[in-house]
């Protein structure tokens, strides 16, 4: 089986690794992205702001994400963690009133450049949501859907099997691939959604509170899976579970809310981002210490 980076690059359009449209650029000058094996830095976010209409929801977020790491985003409700997560694969584009400024550089290329195709962005940057959301299709068709949409080449049976194996689900479902995914348990459905996100061979996986609706046993399986996957994909996870962040993440970013005295509007900001062990034992900011020790939030 070809390595991940090779399979991704072979299945992308010829105009560039982020799907830059050939009608807008000369192919010879299309941007190229070094394979993850050659570059540790996945994301370099600089002064990212998000507005919903006239409201500034997230202000001046600057952060870097590296390969082979799990980064946890923590903070009280409404501080912009999920909003920022959606910036990393342009999911905020689907919200008509949302506007993102600043730069989100993925392997050196600005994801918000006008020539970049959001569909190709989401092929390389997968996402798993808070509640399991399998399609009302068979287990097989859930996995095959993404590769078919983006036109991946190769044997579909092999693509489905490899995705289910990476999602730690193959042994449980290999004899009932034709059954409806709604017949699976909640924990299995969430692992199916992870496998579905992995089917298009992304090199980043975004996870928005993926265990909040699961029991402790299913949560443990998802956490074990995350640790296994980080050798192949960078993972960014939003979580309200401090123990989970401490268990699985290599780095942690703490977000909080600032309230405007003028109009009482709330804006999310990043307080600090550092190695998880330091964030939980010796944070640089008192607000971080108060949050991780349960004094507020």
């Amino acid at each position: 089986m070809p390595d991940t980076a090779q399979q991704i690059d072979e299945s992308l359009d010829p105009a560039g690794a982020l799907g830059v449209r050939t009608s807008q650029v000369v192919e010879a000058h299309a941007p190229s992205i070094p394979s993850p094996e050659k570059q540790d830095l996945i994301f370099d976010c600089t002064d990212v702001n998000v507005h919903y209409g006239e409201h500034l929801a997230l202000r001046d977020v600057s952060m870097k994400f590296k390969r082979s790491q799990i980064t946890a985003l923590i903070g009280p409700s409404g501080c912009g963690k999920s909003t920022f997560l959606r910036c990393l694969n342009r999911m905020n584009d689907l919200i008509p009133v949302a506007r993102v400024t600043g730069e989100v550089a993925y392997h050196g290329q600005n994801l918000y450049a006008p020539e970049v195709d959001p569909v190709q962005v989401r092929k390389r940057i997968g996402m798993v949501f808070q509640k399991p959301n399998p399609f009302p299709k068979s287990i097989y068709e859930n996995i095959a859907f993404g590769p078919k949409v983006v036109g991946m080449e190769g044997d579909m049976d092999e693509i489905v099997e490899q995705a289910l194996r990476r999602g730690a689900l193959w042994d449980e479902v290999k004899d009932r691939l034709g059954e409806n995914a709604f017949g699976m348990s909640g924990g299995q459905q969430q692992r199916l959604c992870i496998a579905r996100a992995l089917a298009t061979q992304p090199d980043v996986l975004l996870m928005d509170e993926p265990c909040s609706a699961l029991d402790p046993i299913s949560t443990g399986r998802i956490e074990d899976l995350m640790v296994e996957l980080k050798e192949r994909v960078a993972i960014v996870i939003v979580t309200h579970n401090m123990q989970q962040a401490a268990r699985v993440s290599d780095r942690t970013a703490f977000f909080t809310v600032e309230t405007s005295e003028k109009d009482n509007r709330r804006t999310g900001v990043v307080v600090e981002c550092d190695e998880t062990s330091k964030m939980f034992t010796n944070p640089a900011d008192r607000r971080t210490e108060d949050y991780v020790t349960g004094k507020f939030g």
Side-chain angles (χ1 to χ4, degrees):
M1 180 177 178
D3 63 61
T4 301
Q6 179 184 356
Q7 192 167 19
I8 293 172
D9 291 338
E10 289 176 351
S11 60
L12 289 172
D13 71 284
L18 284 179
V20 179
R21 300 178 180 88
T22 54
S23 61
Q24 296 175 325
V25 294
V26 178
E27 183 172 335
H29 298 288
S32 60
I33 293 176
S35 67
E37 289 77 4
K38 296 180 180 180
Q39 189 177 53
D40 285 339
L41 188 63
I42 302 287
F43 283 111
D44 189 356
C45 304
T46 307
D47 297 330
V48 176
N49 297 271
V50 181
H51 287 80
Y52 292 126
E54 296 300 318
H55 173 51
L56 178 61
L58 191 65
R59 187 183 74 237
D60 296 337
V61 177
S62 296
M63 202 178 304
K64 299 178 188 292
F65 300 91
K66 294 183 178 181
R67 63 184 296 262
S68 300
Q69 286 188 344
I70 299 174
T71 303
L73 310 183
I74 64 172
S77 297
C79 66
K81 304 182 299 297
S82 295
T83 294
F84 177 67
L85 191 75
R86 291 194 297 267
C87 291
L88 300 180
N89 71 343
R90 293 188 56 170
M91 288 294 288
N92 284 322
D93 289 14
L94 304 177
I95 303 174
V97 298
R99 176 168 52 90
V100 179
T101 60
E103 183 176 69
V104 179
Y106 170 69
H107 292 295
Q109 176 160 0
N110 185 8
L111 289 185
Y112 287 84
E115 68 272 15
V116 171
D117 184 351
V119 174
Q120 294 296 333
V121 168
R122 295 173 198 136
K123 177 182 177 181
R124 280 183 167 251
I125 305 168
M127 190 163 190
V128 177
F129 297 93
Q130 182 174 0
K131 294 182 180 179
N133 59 342
F135 301 143
K137 301 174 180 287
S138 69
I139 296 170
Y140 184 98
E141 287 299 322
N142 264 269
I143 302 299
F145 181 82
K148 289 178 180 178
V149 167
V150 300
M152 284 181 64
E153 298 180 356
D155 183 88
M156 189 56 65
D157 290 346
E158 181 179 349
I159 291 173
V160 170
E161 179 178 342
Q162 289 302 318
L164 287 170
R165 286 188 182 279
R166 293 181 70 189
L169 199 55
W170 173 253
D171 290 337
E172 297 175 38
V173 302
K174 62 183 178 181
D175 296 323
R176 54 190 183 105
L177 296 177
E179 295 182 13
N180 194 298
F182 286 172
M184 307 171 76
S185 69
Q188 287 177 325
Q189 287 185 6
Q190 191 66 305
R191 279 183 284 149
L192 178 69
C193 293
I194 294 173
R196 187 176 66 194
L198 294 171
T200 56
Q201 301 283 12
D203 70 342
V204 180
L205 188 60
L206 311 178
M207 308 181 82
D208 193 356
E209 297 188 63
C211 302
S212 63
L214 303 181
D215 61 80
I217 294 176
S218 297
T219 295
R221 289 177 177 174
I222 298 293
E223 291 178 357
D224 290 343
L225 177 59
M226 289 168 57
V227 174
E228 293 175 16
L229 289 175
K230 78 172 185 178
E231 297 305 318
R232 297 186 179 185
V233 296
I235 296 175
V236 185
I237 177 174
V238 169
T239 180
H240 283 283
N241 187 326
M242 295 300 97
Q243 290 77 22
Q244 181 176 75
R247 284 193 298 264
V248 304
S249 68
D250 301 288
R251 294 180 62 80
T252 297
F254 171 57
F255 288 66
T256 193
V257 176
E258 292 183 351
T259 303
S260 170
E261 295 181 0
K262 180 179 178 181
D263 55 13
N264 207 36
R265 291 207 169 189
R266 294 156 56 91
T267 299
V269 295
V270 173
V271 175
E272 60 179 310
C273 179
D274 210 327
E275 295 180 3
T276 295
S277 58
K278 181 178 178 181
M279 290 286 286
F280 280 87
T281 59
N282 188 29
D285 194 287
R286 180 62 181 267
R287 291 171 293 177
T288 306
E289 180 179 356
D290 288 347
Y291 183 78
V292 299
T293 56
K295 292 182 180 179
F296 85 96

